[in-house]
Structures are given as C-alpha cells and as structure tokens.
Amino acid sequence: MAIEWIEQVTGAIGQKKRYRQYKARTEQLPENYRAAIDALDRYLMYFGSITKGDTLVSMLEDLADLFDESAASGIPIRAIVGEDPVEFAEAFLQNYSEGQWIDKERKRLIDAIDRVAGNEP
C-alpha cells in the first residue's frame, strides 16, 4: 500500500518536472514555431482529454522533438502540419490514444451493444 502511494507521488513529481522541461524547450523555439506548438498544445489538451499524465507528457515531448528538429532544419510550419492543422493534430493524437476518456466510452459502448445483441434470438 505504501509502495503504491510512493510510486504515485514520485511519478506525479516526475511528470511535472518533464512537463516543465517541455515548456522550457518550447520557449526556446523561434516565435512562429512556439506560437504553433502552443496552439497545438492547447488543442491537444482540450480535444484529447488524456487522463494518464505519463501519456500526455510523452506526447508533448514528441511534439517538441518534431518542432525542434523542424525549426533547426528550417522546415516551414505548413510543411509540418499541412493545410489542415486539425487533421494533423487529430492524426498526431491517435498515436497516443491510450488513456483518453473516449477510449473508455468506446469500450463501454461496444460492451453494451455486445451484451444486448448477445441476448437476441
């Protein structure tokens, strides 16, 4: 019991530290890349509703990697996100679907239909 609590506390502290490091990294980006990643960050937080902190932090770190490398290589923002930033964000988010509240609801829907359909003659 105590071990689980310690792991939860230290895990949360580690996630906060990683998140602060992510924010510090994004502050170092050129202004237009920083504005783009901030907009994506906001959308991903609201749209993704990721519940597992570790998944969230990993996703944001990967996004920062993408923008760091793109800025260093001079890749234009449109070349990163394409013409539809929503499509890019949602495709990016699909790589981190574990832990999203919608996954739980999808499973709940599937299970409910399976249950009632199994009772049909």
Side-chain angles (χ1 to χ4, degrees), residues 3-30:
I3 293 173
E4 290 177 16
W5 181 81
I6 292 169
E7 288 175 351
Q8 288 178 343
V9 170
T10 57
I13 292 169
Q15 291 168 13
K16 287 180 184 178
K17 181 180 179 182
R18 288 173 55 203
Y19 181 77
R20 283 192 300 269
Q21 290 171 337
Y22 154 77
K23 290 305 278 183
R25 284 177 67 191
T26 63
E27 290 298 318
Q28 299 303 312
L29 290 169

Side-chain angles (χ1 to χ4, degrees), residues 7-94:
E7 288 175 351
Q8 288 178 343
V9 170
T10 57
I13 292 169
Q15 291 168 13
K16 287 180 184 178
K17 181 180 179 182
R18 288 173 55 203
Y19 181 77
R20 283 192 300 269
Q21 290 171 337
Y22 154 77
K23 290 305 278 183
R25 284 177 67 191
T26 63
E27 290 298 318
Q28 299 303 312
L29 290 169
E31 188 175 337
N32 57 339
Y33 287 87
R34 184 174 57 243
I37 201 169
D38 286 347
L40 285 164
D41 180 324
R42 179 178 171 85
Y43 183 83
L44 293 169
M45 293 283 203
Y46 281 100
F47 183 82
S49 298
I50 295 177
T51 56
K52 292 185 180 178
D54 192 48
T55 303
L56 170 65
V57 174
S58 294
M59 177 187 67
L60 294 175
E61 288 170 337
D62 290 347
L63 187 63
D65 289 343
L66 175 63
F67 273 76
D68 278 343
E69 293 168 12
S70 297
S73 300
I75 297 172
I77 292 169
R78 280 289 179 196
I80 302 168
V81 301
E83 290 303 314
D84 186 352
V86 172
E87 183 180 323
F88 168 81
E90 291 176 10
F92 186 82
L93 187 60
Q94 286 177 356

